[in-house]
Amino acid sequence: MRLSRYFLPLLKEVPSEAQIVSHQLMLRAGMIRQSSAGIYSWLPLGFRVLRRVEQIVREEMNAAGAHEILMPAIQPAELWQESGRYEDYGKEMLRITDRHERPMLYGPTHEEVVTDIFRRSVRSYRDLPVNLYQIQWKFRDEIRPRFGVMRGREFLMKDNYSFDLDLAGAMRSYDNMFMAYVRTFRRMDLTAIPMRASSGAIGGDMSHEFQVLAATGESQVYYDVAFEEFDFLAAVADEATVEHLKGLYAATDEEHDSASCPVPAERLRSGRGIEVGQIFYFGTKYSKPMGATVAGPDGQEVPVEMGCYGIGISRLAGALIEVFHDDAGIRWPESVAPFRLGIINLRPGDAACDALVADLEGKLARAGVEVLIDDRDESPGAKFATMDLIGLPWQAIVGPRGVKQGVVELKNRASGERQELSPEALLGRMTA
């Protein structure tokens, strides 16, 4: 992709309405633009990051045995009236009426819709367990939307729902999602601390929220250093592992009591946290009132046990920036970067520089490496600043001096380390 032909509306100044780092950098780097309060358009660079995050989440959900569906954003109010939540949910729900005067709503969550799908489709315990997920836009009419995509009104979310015959099965589904979540966040180079949480408007009597550690986080969290030592990607997702992780100490500042904390001082860590996901077990809260039952082994109808699991996809894009940034801009981990490599052509129009850039572009494309090439007629300083701002993990600098010497300068955005490589060595590094 050539930057001269790419839609990347950068901002030199920090917008006055942006109060936190992620909001500032997403606007400056041309990732998003505000449409109205708490509602954003995702521009090409931001949309690529959103899709990267979404894909990691999708891969982990599929690996955990969940099946992807897509439910409607607009829902009939009658389903919520069946569950008893329609009047209780509050003003965060955007209520609308269609041309036939039927009450509708823009879904803030999808428990009722998925329960309706289940009750129309599954009749026997032999078809359980079932776990359905979607990645869908949702709307909650926050009274004071702020902090960009971190607390917007419209947001992209992965939500999935498990259906089991009994409590034991529901706990297996819950634990399965617990491990899928810690793996998901680790794949993005994030340290996510699971901690007991309130179920809020979703309901139920068991919930864990996942707090990503960031210096600019919203709340103070305390946790056992064992979370940092644990290899989430290599761990076997069995009952013993999940119980071990659930048993580790983790608490927000509202619940932490230094006098009664069971973790020795030398193993207790504290930091700021950003909530990026939450899981819930709520039993028969929706299945009973909505008649979502199956025939059990004895032929009797049994309301199914349910769980709900959410990850804020668009919120994660902001949280990643809160974790990975410096004074110059964003520092994307490779797993979610919009492009892996940025090539800076210091002398567009120079035949030798243009030829080397074109050769690298073609070979990297054939190897499946996505590259953004700065071929604009701008000063070297402006090009370096742009690449640092948008945060691609690697920068390759092509200039007349290097071309004559047969080398390209490679910069690691995270560490700042630079080295000169032959074009062949650069290709080997990027395609390894």
Side-chain angles (χ1 to χ4, degrees):
M1 182 65 66
R2 299 290 178 122
L3 193 48
S4 61
R5 299 193 295 271
Y6 195 62
F7 185 64
L8 187 65
L10 303 174
L11 299 177
K12 292 184 178 180
E13 304 297 328
V14 176
S16 59
E17 73 271 19
Q19 302 175 22
I20 62 172
V21 169
S22 60
H23 193 191
Q24 294 167 358
L25 290 176
M26 292 181 88
L27 290 171
R28 287 192 57 217
M31 292 178 62
I32 58 171
R33 287 294 182 267
Q34 181 170 298
S35 175
S36 60
I39 301 175
Y40 293 86
S41 295
W42 289 76
L43 307 187
L45 195 76
F47 191 58
R48 290 178 74 94
V49 172
L50 203 63
R51 286 291 176 255
R52 293 280 190 274
V53 173
E54 182 180 314
Q55 188 56 31
I56 291 174
V57 172
R58 177 177 283 112
E59 289 170 3
E60 290 299 326
M61 289 298 102
N62 293 344
H67 303 282
E68 186 169 12
I69 62 174
L70 183 63
M71 291 179 276
I74 303 299
Q75 305 178 23
E78 61 205 47
L79 289 178
W80 286 65
Q81 291 165 346
E82 269 193 80
S83 72
R85 282 206 303 173
Y86 187 67
E87 299 300 334
D88 296 340
Y89 201 87
K91 292 184 177 181
E92 287 76 23
M93 181 191 290
L94 182 62
R95 302 160 199 263
I96 55 180
T97 304
D98 70 10
R99 66 192 300 164
H100 301 292
E101 300 302 316
R102 289 186 292 243
M104 311 286 284
L105 58 100
Y106 192 137
T109 183
H110 278 73
E111 284 80 9
E112 284 80 2
V113 176
V114 77
T115 303
D116 183 52
I117 292 170
F118 178 89
R119 70 182 177 181
R120 292 168 181 263
S121 310
V122 180
R123 298 301 309 146
S124 171
Y125 77 97
R126 293 185 178 90
D127 297 320
L128 299 179
V130 171
N131 194 324
L132 304 174
Y133 82 95
Q134 68 169 350
I135 296 175
Q136 171 67 294
W137 291 95
K138 300 188 186 301
F139 187 91
R140 294 176 189 167
D141 201 2
E142 297 274 355
I143 188 170
R144 281 186 295 275
R146 59 191 189 280
F147 305 149
V149 301
M150 297 287 287
R151 192 171 299 239
R153 293 194 295 165
E154 186 182 59
F155 52 94
L156 187 62
M157 185 175 179
K158 186 285 303 178
D159 51 315
N160 63 298
Y161 307 87
S162 61
F163 301 85
D164 287 275
L165 178 64
D166 52 25
L167 176 61
M171 289 299 96
R172 285 192 294 271
S173 293
Y174 187 96
D175 291 349
N176 184 36
M177 285 296 104
F178 185 100
M179 288 303 298
Y181 271 44
V182 292
R183 284 195 303 267
T184 296
F185 300 127
R186 195 72 206 106
R187 283 186 59 186
M188 300 178 201
D189 290 351
L190 296 169
T191 300
I193 309 298
M195 55 188 64
R196 285 273 190 169
S198 166
S199 296
I202 299 296
D205 55 9
M206 182 187 296
S207 178
H208 283 84
E209 66 183 26
F210 294 79
Q211 295 269 353
V212 165
L213 298 177
T216 54
E218 304 161 302
S219 56
Q220 187 75 17
V221 297
Y222 298 84
Y223 60 95
D224 191 319
V225 72
F227 281 115
E228 297 178 356
E229 300 166 346
F230 191 82
D231 188 345
F232 292 111
L233 296 181
V236 177
D238 57 17
E239 182 179 356
T241 300
V242 178
E243 290 307 311
H244 167 68
L245 290 172
K246 285 182 180 177
L248 295 177
Y249 183 80
T252 60
D253 50 359
E254 292 88 356
E255 299 177 355
H256 175 69
D257 182 354
S258 57
S260 60
C261 177
V263 182
E266 66 272 13
R267 293 192 59 81
L268 184 66
R269 299 289 184 271
S270 66
R272 306 295 297 178
I274 300 171
E275 183 191 336
V276 291
Q278 190 165 359
I279 61 177
F280 309 82
Y281 160 71
F282 44 64
T284 59
K285 174 179 171 61
Y286 299 92
S287 58
K288 273 188 176 179
M290 296 186 69
T293 64
V294 296
D298 59 0
Q300 298 298 309
E301 290 293 314
V302 180
V304 291
E305 298 274 340
M306 294 176 59
C308 166
Y309 317 90
I311 290 178
I313 304 287
S314 51
R315 183 177 174 84
L316 257 174
L320 281 156
I321 296 174
E322 293 291 331
V323 177
F324 299 109
H325 73 273
D326 57 23
D327 291 342
I330 305 166
R331 296 185 292 107
W332 292 114
E334 290 200 31
S335 59
V336 295
F339 298 90
R340 189 179 183 206
L341 173 68
I343 298 178
I344 300 173
N345 186 347
L346 293 179
R347 192 74 60 82
D350 179 276
C353 288
D354 289 349
L356 179 54
V357 168
D359 184 61
L360 290 171
E361 179 183 23
K363 290 176 178 176
L364 288 165
R366 287 190 289 275
V369 179
E370 294 186 299
V371 179
L372 182 64
I373 297 171
D374 194 340
D375 60 336
R376 299 172 301 163
D377 185 18
E378 296 281 355
S379 69
K383 293 184 177 185
F384 296 147
T386 294
M387 282 295 174
D388 282 350
L389 173 62
I390 65 177
L392 307 187
W394 298 95
Q395 301 172 16
I397 302 161
V398 176
R401 180 189 64 82
V403 171
K404 288 180 182 178
Q405 297 176 355
V407 297
V408 174
E409 185 177 38
L410 182 65
K411 174 184 173 181
N412 181 296
R413 175 66 182 90
S415 68
E417 178 185 356
R418 298 170 180 262
Q419 62 180 131
E420 290 188 338
L421 301 170
S422 68
E424 293 75 20
L426 172 67
L427 289 168
R429 174 75 65 86
M430 290 296 107
T431 57

